[in-house]
């Protein structure tokens, strides 16, 4: 339990906790924002009321995740001042600006139009409402752009140099467009979209399996599937491109991802470790299953490596990542889920082409629906695994090759960090239970299919004209005249 007296370790644990918890919520809002743009656009185009009702139903999940995302995102940024002040002082010239862009460009845009998107259905013109939905989705995804720009710069610093312990920016555009930036932004963009698609598909499959509005939820499942046809393979390809960049720019991270202790020479094949038990003390794998000569095909689509692959033994222990087993299996978890999504997409597409996903037949696809329900939480696990590889694999650096993590942490008593860490863990546990409760309540209640459709209200005359029952006049004849 020595780590309880180490403020650096505790600060890392606290940031890991807050980051892992926070990322759960914007993952859904960024992807679901695009889904809402699609269904509302289809409704405006076709005037099919089902798509309007889908937009109203799924927006409930959006606002739930948005609220928790805001509440948990602010403490993360505060930590750069409380727990990571030396890093903020050294890198703030660029890092602080980009984090500020995320708040002023992305969050403000999303927050400004969210109210119109949620409550403006019968108060503003449909075109204005659709514009608000688009701007909310743009704002949510601008957050991905700026957060991944900042993190990519931490992975591959560019656009300036360290002068007297501070990073001096010479070219902001070069810093923004650092080597990791484009692929990192795209990888996260497709990760959020893919996660959202399979969450929507999984919830839809649950309703189908329960035979609650199967024809209605067959539509949302098929929209998610149609988007996944493009997204799933693209995500795998962009992930491969990101792996290539790690090979060239962060060789220690790649060695940890593959549990490679020994180096492989250029022009030679290298075995790929499918499963292993890394032993950091002995600097070897105690047990492993390898695929002969496969690593070159994975990295470069050819048998022999064009560049040497340096093993972990080539660096001193203090200059390479630790927790190799965590990095190794987090990477494989992410890869496995990505291919599972692609396989489920292919199987579902085949059933769709066979007419098995129609409103009449979809309830018979019980195993397929169960597979979609199983897939619903997997995107979150893949995203969390990817961030573990990205950030734990960057160690021992906070700013890669420039600022070590031990030098980036604030010098504060370990007891203070332990108190705040405990507080975050308690509050976030309560928030997580609350989200599960409200989310499950939305699912249990289901969509309100009796909502009035804008532009399709039933005509009600101002004066009642329905013929009434004849009542004879019983007055005296003189009075009648």
């Amino acid at each position: 339990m020595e780590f309880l007296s180490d403020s650096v370790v505790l600060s890392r644990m606290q940031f890991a906790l807050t980051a892992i918890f926070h990322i759960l919520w914007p993952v859904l809002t960024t992807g679901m924002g695009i889904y809402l743009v699609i269904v509302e656009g289809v409704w405006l185009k076709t005037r099919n009321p089902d798509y309007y009702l889908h937009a109203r139903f799924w927006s409930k999940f959006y606002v739930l995740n948005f609220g928790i995302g805001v509440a948990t995102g602010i403490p993360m940024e505060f930590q750069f001042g409380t727990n990571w002040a030396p890093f903020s002082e050294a890198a703030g010239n660029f890092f602080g600006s980009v984090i500020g862009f995320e708040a002023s460009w992305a969050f403000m845009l999303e927050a400004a139009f969210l109210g119109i998107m949620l409550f403006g259905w019968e108060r503003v013109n449909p075109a204005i409402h659709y514009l608000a939905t688009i701007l909310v989705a743009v704002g949510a995804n601008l957050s991905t752009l700026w957060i991944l720009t900042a993190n990519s710069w931490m992975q591959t610093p560019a656009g300036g140099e360290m002068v007297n312990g501070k990073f001096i920016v010479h070219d902001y555009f070069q810093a923004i467009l650092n080597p990791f930036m484009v692929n990192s932004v795209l990888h996260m963009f497709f990760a959020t979209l893919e996660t959202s698609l399979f969450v929507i598909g999984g919830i839809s499959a649950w309703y189908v399996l329960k035979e609650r509005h199967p024809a209605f939820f067959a539509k949302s499942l098929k929209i998610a599937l149609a988007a996944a046809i493009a997204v799933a393979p693209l995500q795998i390809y962009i992930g491969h491109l990101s792996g290539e960049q790690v090979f060239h720019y962060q060789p220690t991270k790649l060695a940890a991802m593959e549990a490679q202790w020994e180096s492989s020479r250029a022009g030679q094949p290298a075995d790929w470790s499918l499963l292993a038990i890394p032993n950091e003390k002995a600097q070897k794998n105690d047990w492993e299953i390898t695929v002969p000569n496969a690593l070159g095909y994975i990295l470069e689509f050819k048998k022999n490596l064009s560049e040497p692959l340096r093993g972990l033994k080539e660096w001193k222990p203090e200059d390479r990542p630790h927790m190799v087993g965590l990095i190794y299996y987090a990477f494989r978890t992410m890869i496995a889920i990505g291919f599972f999504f692609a396989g489920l997409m292919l199987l579902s597409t085949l059933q769709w082409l066979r007419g098995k996903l129609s409103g009449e037949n979809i309830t018979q696809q019980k195993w397929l629906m169960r597979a979609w329900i199983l897939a619903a939480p997997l995107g979150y696990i893949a995203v969390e695994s990817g961030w573990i590889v990205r950030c734990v694999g960057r160690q021992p650096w906070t700013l890669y090759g420039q600022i070590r993590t031990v030098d980036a942490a604030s010098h504060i008593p370990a007891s203070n960090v332990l108190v705040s860490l405990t507080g975050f863990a308690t509050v976030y546990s309560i928030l997580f239970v609350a989200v599960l409760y409200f989310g499950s309540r939305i699912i249990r209640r289901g969509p309100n299919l009796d909502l009035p459709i804008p532009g399709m209200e039933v005509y009600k005359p101002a004066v009642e004209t329905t013929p009434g029952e004849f009542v004879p006049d019983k007055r005296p004849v003189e009075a009648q005249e």
Side-chain angles (χ1 to χ4, degrees):
M1 304 292 284
E2 293 181 2
F3 70 90
L4 294 177
S5 61
D6 190 330
S7 63
V8 176
V9 173
L10 290 173
S11 291
R12 288 184 63 191
M13 290 175 63
Q14 179 173 291
F15 197 85
L17 170 67
T18 54
I20 286 172
F21 188 77
H22 168 71
I23 199 64
L24 293 171
W25 319 115
V27 161
L28 194 66
T29 56
T30 49
M32 188 171 283
I34 296 174
Y35 183 86
L36 292 175
V37 169
I38 292 172
V39 293
E40 187 173 348
V42 174
W43 170 64
L44 291 173
K45 178 69 174 178
T46 65
R47 290 296 174 176
N48 184 328
D50 279 355
Y51 296 107
Y52 169 80
L53 297 172
H54 272 297
R56 295 296 298 267
F57 176 67
W58 296 109
S59 63
K60 296 177 183 179
F61 293 97
Y62 186 98
V63 71
L64 177 63
N65 282 264
F66 176 83
I68 301 298
V70 171
T72 57
I74 294 174
M76 282 187 62
E77 296 190 359
F78 282 173
Q79 287 177 82
F80 290 116
T82 57
N83 296 72
W84 304 98
F87 168 74
S88 298
E89 185 177 0
N93 287 340
F94 177 75
F95 188 81
S97 299
V98 175
I99 295 297
F101 291 159
E102 190 271 337
S104 59
W105 290 31
F107 173 70
M108 291 301 178
L109 179 63
E110 186 179 10
F113 288 92
L114 181 64
I116 299 175
M117 187 189 84
L118 293 175
F119 307 112
W121 286 103
E122 299 174 4
R123 293 178 173 86
V124 300
N125 182 279
I128 298 299
H129 187 278
Y130 190 47
L131 176 62
T133 303
I134 292 172
L135 291 176
V136 167
V138 169
N141 284 276
L142 277 176
S143 290
T144 300
L145 170 66
W146 290 119
I147 293 300
L148 267 294
T149 296
N151 188 270
S152 297
W153 178 78
M154 294 170 67
Q155 306 283 339
T156 49
E161 60 180 339
M162 295 293 294
V163 178
N164 296 326
K166 291 188 178 182
F167 191 89
I168 306 301
V169 181
H170 299 316
D171 188 333
Y172 263 93
F173 287 105
Q174 186 181 2
I176 290 172
L177 298 172
N178 60 81
F180 268 24
M181 182 265 188
V182 173
N183 283 337
S184 295
V185 170
L186 289 176
H187 197 36
M188 189 62 188
F189 168 77
F190 284 112
T192 61
L193 184 54
E194 188 173 37
T195 299
S196 299
L197 293 175
F198 281 92
V199 167
I200 293 167
I203 294 173
S204 300
W206 183 84
Y207 281 105
V208 171
L209 202 59
K210 296 292 183 179
E211 298 190 16
R212 290 179 59 184
H213 318 299
F216 180 80
F217 282 103
K219 287 185 172 68
S220 55
L221 178 61
K222 285 188 282 190
I223 292 174
L225 174 57
I229 291 172
V231 171
L234 275 174
Q235 177 68 326
I236 292 173
Y237 176 67
I238 295 169
H240 170 74
L241 296 180
S242 298
E244 284 186 339
Q245 287 189 318
V246 171
F247 180 30
H248 295 300
Y249 290 97
Q250 294 183 329
T252 54
K253 180 187 288 185
L254 180 68
M257 287 162 55
E258 299 297 345
Q260 292 283 331
W261 300 97
E262 306 293 340
S263 299
S264 299
R265 294 179 296 175
Q268 298 290 328
D271 296 343
W272 176 60
S273 169
L274 176 63
L275 295 172
I277 301 178
N279 185 331
E280 291 188 50
K281 290 184 178 180
Q283 299 189 94
K284 66 173 186 176
N285 296 327
D286 290 337
W287 170 88
E288 63 181 335
I289 299 174
T290 60
V291 180
N293 305 328
L295 191 55
Y297 291 106
I298 293 173
L299 292 174
E300 301 178 298
F301 297 116
K302 58 183 181 180
K303 181 178 179 180
N304 295 331
L305 297 168
S306 60
E307 299 180 25
L309 177 62
R310 301 174 66 186
L312 287 167
K313 286 184 177 180
E314 288 209 20
W315 289 273
K316 297 177 181 178
E318 61 269 22
D319 293 333
R320 69 192 189 201
H322 294 285
M323 295 188 285
V324 174
L326 175 64
I327 299 168
Y328 178 86
Y329 279 104
F331 179 62
R332 276 149 181 75
T333 299
M334 178 181 62
I335 296 294
I337 292 172
F339 279 100
F340 175 79
F341 281 165
L344 180 57
M345 176 272 296
L346 289 172
L347 179 60
S348 301
T349 303
L350 177 62
Q351 293 297 86
W352 191 2
L353 293 175
R354 296 175 60 197
K356 301 297 185 180
L357 299 187
S358 65
E360 300 77 22
N361 298 326
I362 194 169
T363 55
Q364 301 172 14
Q365 307 300 307
K366 297 187 182 300
W367 285 107
L368 186 61
M369 295 302 104
R370 291 189 181 101
W372 275 88
I373 294 170
L374 173 65
L378 295 184
Y380 294 105
I381 298 173
V383 169
E384 300 286 14
S385 298
W387 276 100
I388 288 172
V389 173
R390 188 176 182 86
C391 295
V392 179
R394 189 188 61 231
Q395 300 304 315
W397 308 98
T398 297
L399 185 63
Y400 194 78
Q402 304 285 343
I403 303 174
R404 288 180 177 269
T405 300
V406 68
D407 299 322
S410 300
H411 300 291
I412 51 180
S415 58
N416 290 8
V417 185
L418 184 60
V419 170
S420 61
L421 172 59
T422 304
F424 275 122
T426 302
V427 173
Y428 283 8
S429 297
I430 296 171
L431 286 176
F432 188 69
V433 172
V435 171
L436 291 180
Y437 170 75
F438 287 109
S440 62
R441 189 171 72 168
I442 293 171
I443 294 173
R444 288 194 307 270
R445 289 184 175 181
N448 182 1
L449 302 183
D450 296 323
L451 282 173
I453 310 299
M456 298 181 64
E457 291 83 2
V458 177
Y459 172 70
K460 295 182 179 179
V463 179
E464 181 63 52
T465 60
T466 304
E469 181 183 356
F470 173 74
V471 179
D473 194 342
K474 298 181 179 180
R475 293 176 298 165
V477 174
E478 293 82 2
Q480 294 183 30
E481 293 177 351

